[in-house]
């Protein structure tokens, strides 16, 4: 039996397109309801004459957002449109604009001014999103403190609730004017809206389905019309009594080109509300990022945050030209789209087209939409936001963070967005400074007894450095240094110097390898450290400095060529080697030890001095010039080398650059023993840094010694085992110290 896979795939594609179109229709219904709600929210009270323009710009914003994000976004079934939080904030901006515009003109002037402000806001939002996306700042914007975001979103929830009440009443209610509240004709509408909001809240809490909201919108509208029918109230009478919206006879298109006419726009009024407009931009950006992250989890996919920013930026730029409200990625509509059967980008495009169809061909239907349903929907959204940020977060957040959310909310409600933005910025800076100052800027606090340079020294020198290791202290720093963290470094150094252990600190090493930068205030801490070193006759070494940090220190007069107290080294290894040499130079007994003959050292290391002469009969003496290679990486490891004098280094070869120094070794030590015992090839090369004398013990000579003088061979094995054990023990101590 032959299966026509081409026909099957074609059928599946057609079915997918039909599912996307049907899902787009469902989403368009909810988007249209939200758009009507936002229009009624913004164009209420003295702006109610602009409701037709409000519906038009809302639906255009929903259509453009849905299509642009569907085509350009990284999540195929994502839906964008005017967002609850940003619309709540913009409603506050529009109310302030209208109030000031009404002083100098009539309602039409105020409506025009609000539409112009909307265009400016959409343009700034789109431009900011495009810049953020182009600069790949999607992840960085998340660093805005959570309580600051929560404060703005909680304020948006409050504004939604207030706007919903004003929209249902038909005017802006002054709850302090009790004489006006008594006997007002809007109480039945408010009561109906409150009941509908309560039903929505309870139903959505108990039934977790994205289809619940559109179902309740349809059901609520039917109930209102049944009540109107039962009371004998006609459509015209209900519209006049503000129970229903007025019909949209034709789209009242807003053309931004009207703003270019001389004197048409009072930009001083827009500038006065710059804080609110900036808040819309910030909240929209944060909403996109938070919602994209939430959709990642819901759809088990990876969202490209920068791409989402760019897609929504394009949507807002197009909305600016087309005369639409700002839009952003929405979670609820995206989840509804998926639950309605959407599988691809066609659903978002279809949703946008249906919104435009409703705008141009469904104007008469607007006259049948109940105000209490729209107001109740806004009230439900506002209460949901307040519950999320004021109730659910009270147990998740620390008390200071929760109080900051309340403070920003109270300030915005009483003093406006400018004061809220100032408080948010100041709070963000303080939270960052306090939180970052608690970060452990000192990654490791070590002494030379715990951590050594990559120089293998004679056993006597190694023991001396362990015994006097507390004279060398190493602080490995990390992160960004500013006034708070740099002062902690200064205090740590000063306390160690002024309250030393068994021996005073001779050298303090500060390693900057993991330091990303420092500000000007942090530099003064190092000026004080230089003065501290001078008073106590000690040395401070700075290692691993970046070019920027080095220049910042030099601008304050540090790291001068004639400074013998504050010194710089390219990395920790070179700085620590210099410090070890300083400590060893203080120990006169080691000078005599270093001058002892090689045979004497070999005899003591073997445990019996008489064995040294016997062992040296199996050696081959090599004299190396500076730079000469003792062995090459990849060669057979068939020889152990005993260093009599000079200095050699173990090098890791690189095909595209000079070799990397892994370790250096100074006279009276052993090299090459591990590969010899493993019968492996050399994993690195060995070269002389200076003129050196080395004795080689080949495998054939070792085997001959084992056959002829087994006691001597056993002593040699034991000596090498002790050297390996000493190195391993110190390496383990280093690992433990680094894990503290």
């Amino acid at each position: 039996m032959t299966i026509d896979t081409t026909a099957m795939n074609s059928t599946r594609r057609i079915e997918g397109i039909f599912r996307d179109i049907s899902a787009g229709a469902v989403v368009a219904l909810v988007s249209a309801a939200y758009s009507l709600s936002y229009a009624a929210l913004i164009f209420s009270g003295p702006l109610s004459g602009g409701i037709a323009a409000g519906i038009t710009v809302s639906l255009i914003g929903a259509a453009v957002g849905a299509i642009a994000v569907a085509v350009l976004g990284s999540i195929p079934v994502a839906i964008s449109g005017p967002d609850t939080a940003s619309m709540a904030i913009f409603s506050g901006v529009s109310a302030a604009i209208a109030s000031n515009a009404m002083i100098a003109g009539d309602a039409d002037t105020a409506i025009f001014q609000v539409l112009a402000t909307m265009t400016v806001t959409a343009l700034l939002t789109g431009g900011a999103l495009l810049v953020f996306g182009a600069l790949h700042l999607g992840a960085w914007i998340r660093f805005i403190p959570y309580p600051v975001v929560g404060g703005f979103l909680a304020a948006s929830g409050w504004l939604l609730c207030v706007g919903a009440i004003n929209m249902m009443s038909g005017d802006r209610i002054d709850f302090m004017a009790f004489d006006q509240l008594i006997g007002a004709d809007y109480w039945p509408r408010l009561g109906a809206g409150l009941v509908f909001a309560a039903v929505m809240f309870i139903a959505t809490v108990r039934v977790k389905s994205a289809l619940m909201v559109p179902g309740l919108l349809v059901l609520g509208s039917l109930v209102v019309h049944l009540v109107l029918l039962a009371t004998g109230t006609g459509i015209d009478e209900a519209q006049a009594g503000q129970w229903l919206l007025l019909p949209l006879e034709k789209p009242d298109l807003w053309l931004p080109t009207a703003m270019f006419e001389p004197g048409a726009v009072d930009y001083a009024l827009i500038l006065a509300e710059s804080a609110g407009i900036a808040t819309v931009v910030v909240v929209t950006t944060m909403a996109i990022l938070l919602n994209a992250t939430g959709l990642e989890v819901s759809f088990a996919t990876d969202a490209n945050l920068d791409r989402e920013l760019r897609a929504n930026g394009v949507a807002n730029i197009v909305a600016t030209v087309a005369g639409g409200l700002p839009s952003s990625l929405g979670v609820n509509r995206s989840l509804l789209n998926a639950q309605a059967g959407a599988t691809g980008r066609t659903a978002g495009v279809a949703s946008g087209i249906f919104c435009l169809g409703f705008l141009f061909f469904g104007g008469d239907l607007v006259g049948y939409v109940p105000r209490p349903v729209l107001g109740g929907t806004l009230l439900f959204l506002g209460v949901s936001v307040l519950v999320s940020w004021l109730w659910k977060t009270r147990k998740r957040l620390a008390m200071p963070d929760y109080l900051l959310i309340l403070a920003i909310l109270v300030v915005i409600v009483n003093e406006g967005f400018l004061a809220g933005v100032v408080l948010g910025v100041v709070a963000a800076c303080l939270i960052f400074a306090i939180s970052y100052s608690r970060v452990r800027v000192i990654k490791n606090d070590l002494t030379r007894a715990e951590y050594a340079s990559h120089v293998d020294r004679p056993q006597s020198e190694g023991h001396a450095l362990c015994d006097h290791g507390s004279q060398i202290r190493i602080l490995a720093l990390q992160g960004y240094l500013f006034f708070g963290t740099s002062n902690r470094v200064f205090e740590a150094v000063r306390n160690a110097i002024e309250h030393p252990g068994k021996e005073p600190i001779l050298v303090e090493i500060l390693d900057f390898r993991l330091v990303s930068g420092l500000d000007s205030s942090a530099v003064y801490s190092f000026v004080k450290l230089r003065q501290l070193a001078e008073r106590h006759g000690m040395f401070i070494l700075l290692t691993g400095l970046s070019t920027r940090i080095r220049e910042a220190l030099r601008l304050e007069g540090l790291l001068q060529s004639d400074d013998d107290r504050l010194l710089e080294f390219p990395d920790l290894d070179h700085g620590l080697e210099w410090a070890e040499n300083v400590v060893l130079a203080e120990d006169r007994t080691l000078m005599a030890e270093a001058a002892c003959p090689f045979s004497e050292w070999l005899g003591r290391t073997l445990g019996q001095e008489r064995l040294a002469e016997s062992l040296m009969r199996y050696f081959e003496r090599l004299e190396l010039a500076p730079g000469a290679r003792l062995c090459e990486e990849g060669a057979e490891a068939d020889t152990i080398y005993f260093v009599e004098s000079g200095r050699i280094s173990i090098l890791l070869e690189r095909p595209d650059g000079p070799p990397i120094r892994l370790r250096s070794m100074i006279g009276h030590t052993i090299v090459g023993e591990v590969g010899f015992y493993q019968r492996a090839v050399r994993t690195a090369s060995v070269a002389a840094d200076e003129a050196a004398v080395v004795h080689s013990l080949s495998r054939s000579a070792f085997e001959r010694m084992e056959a002829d003088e087994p006691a001597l061979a056993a002593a040699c094995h034991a000596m090498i085992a002790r050297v390996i054990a000493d190195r391993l023990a110190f390496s383990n101590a280093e690992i433990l110290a680094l894990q503290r």
Side-chain angles (χ1 to χ4, degrees), residues 112 327 500:
F112 185 90
S327 63

Side-chain angles (χ1 to χ4, degrees), residues 86 89 93 152 273-285 412 417-418 420-421:
S86 57
I89 297 170
V93 173
F152 283 114
E273 297 302 319
S274 56
I277 295 173
T279 305
V280 172
V281 175
V282 172
V283 169
T284 300
T285 304
I412 290 177
F417 277 105
L418 179 58
V421 169

Side-chain angles (χ1 to χ4, degrees), residues 464 466-471 496 500-506:
C466 286
D467 293 339
H468 302 286
S470 59
Q471 291 185 329
K502 63 178 182 178
E503 292 182 296
I505 294 177
L506 182 60

Side-chain angles (χ1 to χ4, degrees), residues 459-674:
Q459 191 176 47
S460 57
E461 292 186 3
H463 289 164
L465 287 172
C466 286
D467 293 339
H468 302 286
S470 59
Q471 291 185 329
I472 302 174
R473 185 163 177 255
I474 307 160
L475 295 184
L477 309 180
Q478 64 180 352
Y480 187 84
L481 300 182
F482 66 106
F483 60 91
T485 53
S486 64
N487 188 64
R488 288 170 58 190
V489 174
F490 172 76
E491 292 296 334
V493 174
R494 184 174 67 176
N495 289 336
I497 293 174
E498 295 180 350
H499 304 91
K502 63 178 182 178
E503 292 182 296
I505 294 177
L506 182 60
V507 182
E508 182 84 33
I509 303 176
L510 303 179
D511 184 38
F512 283 73
R513 184 175 63 89
L514 299 178
V515 175
S516 57
L518 80 169
D519 66 4
S520 57
S521 63
V523 175
Y524 291 107
S525 295
F526 297 97
V527 174
K528 293 193 293 183
L529 281 178
R530 169 64 180 80
Q531 297 168 350
L532 191 67
E534 186 74 36
R535 289 198 303 270
H536 290 270
M538 58 170 294
F539 303 96
I540 293 181
L541 312 185
L542 306 183
T543 65
L545 295 176
S546 66
T547 302
R548 185 171 57 180
I549 294 177
R550 182 184 302 109
E551 292 304 318
L553 294 173
R554 285 179 175 171
L555 287 175
E556 294 299 327
L558 300 176
L559 300 178
Q560 301 302 311
S561 58
D562 58 347
D563 193 340
D564 60 351
R565 291 297 169 185
L566 185 69
L567 307 173
E568 180 194 0
F569 289 87
D571 53 49
L572 176 60
D573 185 45
H574 285 85
L576 186 51
E577 179 185 345
W578 185 90
E580 290 172 345
N581 291 334
V582 170
V583 171
L584 291 174
E586 297 287 319
D587 193 334
R588 297 185 179 275
T589 60
L590 290 175
M591 298 176 63
E593 179 72 25
C596 76
F598 173 71
S599 59
E600 183 179 335
W601 166 79
L602 187 61
R604 288 204 308 269
T605 308
L606 283 168
Q608 300 181 45
E609 294 186 10
R610 63 180 180 81
L611 296 178
E613 184 177 348
S614 300
L615 180 60
M616 291 183 67
R617 290 199 302 268
Y618 294 92
F619 287 172
E620 179 182 354
R621 190 174 189 273
L622 304 173
E623 294 185 2
L624 303 177
R629 293 296 180 102
L630 188 60
C631 60
E632 295 288 346
E633 181 180 334
E636 184 180 355
D638 58 356
T639 305
I640 300 176
Y641 300 99
F642 296 77
V643 182
E644 177 178 338
S645 63
R647 173 176 172 142
I648 62 174
S649 288
I650 301 175
L651 307 174
L652 180 64
E653 303 290 352
R654 292 191 301 170
D656 56 348
I660 299 174
R661 186 186 82 166
L662 300 179
R663 299 195 72 82
S664 291
M665 296 182 170
I666 299 176
H668 297 183
T669 189
I670 303 172
V671 63
E673 73 285 352
V674 175

Side-chain angles (χ1 to χ4, degrees), residues 36-119:
L36 294 177
S37 300
Y38 298 146
L41 171 68
I42 296 170
F43 293 90
S44 60
L47 297 175
S48 57
I51 186 66
I55 293 173
T56 302
V57 298
S58 296
L59 287 171
I60 288 177
V64 170
I67 295 173
V69 170
V71 174
L72 302 175
S74 63
I75 304 175
V77 296
I79 300 292
S80 182
D83 180 68
T84 300
S86 57
M87 290 302 99
I89 297 170
F90 185 73
S91 70
V93 173
S94 65
I97 291 284
S99 177
N100 293 325
M102 290 288 287
I103 297 175
D106 54 14
D108 290 339
T109 302
I111 293 170
F112 185 90
Q113 193 72 33
V114 168
L115 291 171
T117 305
M118 175 203 72
T119 298

Side-chain angles (χ1 to χ4, degrees), residues 362-407:
D364 291 339
L365 296 177
V366 175
Y368 294 92
V369 177
R371 276 183 179 268
V373 171
L374 295 182
T377 302
L378 290 173
L379 193 59
F380 157 72
L381 295 173
V383 171
S384 298
V385 172
L386 289 173
V387 168
S388 296
W389 290 100
L390 296 184
W391 180 254
K392 293 182 179 180
T393 59
R394 76 192 193 284
K395 293 183 178 179
R396 296 203 313 264
L397 297 179
M399 184 55 65
D401 292 339
Y402 183 71
L403 292 177
L404 178 57
I405 292 178
L406 293 178

Side-chain angles (χ1 to χ4, degrees), residues 51-392:
I51 186 66
I55 293 173
T56 302
V57 298
S58 296
L59 287 171
I60 288 177
V64 170
I67 295 173
V69 170
V71 174
L72 302 175
S74 63
I75 304 175
V77 296
I79 300 292
S80 182
D83 180 68
T84 300
S86 57
M87 290 302 99
I89 297 170
F90 185 73
S91 70
V93 173
S94 65
I97 291 284
S99 177
N100 293 325
M102 290 288 287
I103 297 175
D106 54 14
D108 290 339
T109 302
I111 293 170
F112 185 90
Q113 193 72 33
V114 168
L115 291 171
T117 305
M118 175 203 72
T119 298
V120 171
T121 304
L123 178 63
L124 292 176
T125 302
L129 294 176
L130 285 175
V131 170
F132 293 154
L135 296 179
H136 305 289
L137 298 179
W140 288 97
I141 297 174
R142 291 179 176 179
F143 285 95
I144 297 177
Y146 190 73
V148 174
V149 176
F152 283 114
L153 293 179
S156 71
W158 171 262
L159 292 175
L160 270 180
C161 294
V162 173
I165 293 173
N166 291 333
M167 187 269 288
M168 288 185 287
S169 69
D171 200 357
R172 301 191 184 278
I173 300 177
D174 183 2
F175 287 97
M176 301 304 295
F178 296 104
D179 56 332
Q180 298 179 11
L181 297 177
I182 299 174
D185 62 352
Y186 48 68
W187 285 111
R189 297 194 300 274
L190 284 179
L194 288 172
V195 170
F196 183 70
V199 170
M200 288 191 76
F201 190 82
I202 295 172
T204 53
V205 168
R206 295 190 174 184
V207 181
K208 302 297 183 182
S209 172
L211 298 174
M212 179 59 67
V213 171
L216 289 174
L217 290 172
V218 174
L219 180 61
S221 299
L222 289 176
V223 169
V224 171
H225 280 280
L226 288 175
V227 171
L228 293 176
L229 182 63
T231 58
T233 305
I235 297 298
D236 293 338
E237 184 181 355
Q239 291 171 349
Q242 299 192 55
W243 281 92
L244 302 177
L245 294 178
L246 294 174
L248 182 64
E249 297 180 359
K250 63 177 182 178
D252 189 357
L253 296 175
W254 157 251
L255 299 177
T257 53
M259 296 173 59
F260 299 126
E261 297 180 8
V265 179
D266 187 350
Y267 287 99
L269 293 180
I270 298 177
L271 187 61
E273 297 302 319
S274 56
I277 295 173
T279 305
V280 172
V281 175
V282 172
V283 169
T284 300
T285 304
M286 292 303 304
I288 292 170
L289 296 175
L290 293 173
N291 292 343
T293 304
L295 292 177
E296 279 183 322
V297 177
S298 299
F299 296 147
T301 186
D302 292 326
N304 185 324
L305 297 183
D306 295 318
R307 182 176 172 182
E308 292 301 328
L309 289 174
R310 293 193 297 269
N312 283 272
V314 170
N316 281 277
I317 294 296
V318 174
T320 300
V321 177
L325 280 174
S327 63
S328 66
L329 182 66
V331 171
N332 292 333
R333 277 172 281 188
S334 299
L335 293 176
L336 173 62
N337 191 32
Q339 290 190 5
T343 58
R345 302 180 186 276
T346 306
V349 176
S351 175
I353 293 174
F354 281 126
C355 285
L356 292 176
F358 181 78
L359 171 63
F360 288 101
F361 304 107
D364 291 339
L365 296 177
V366 175
Y368 294 92
V369 177
R371 276 183 179 268
V373 171
L374 295 182
T377 302
L378 290 173
L379 193 59
F380 157 72
L381 295 173
V383 171
S384 298
V385 172
L386 289 173
V387 168
S388 296
W389 290 100
L390 296 184
W391 180 254
K392 293 182 179 180

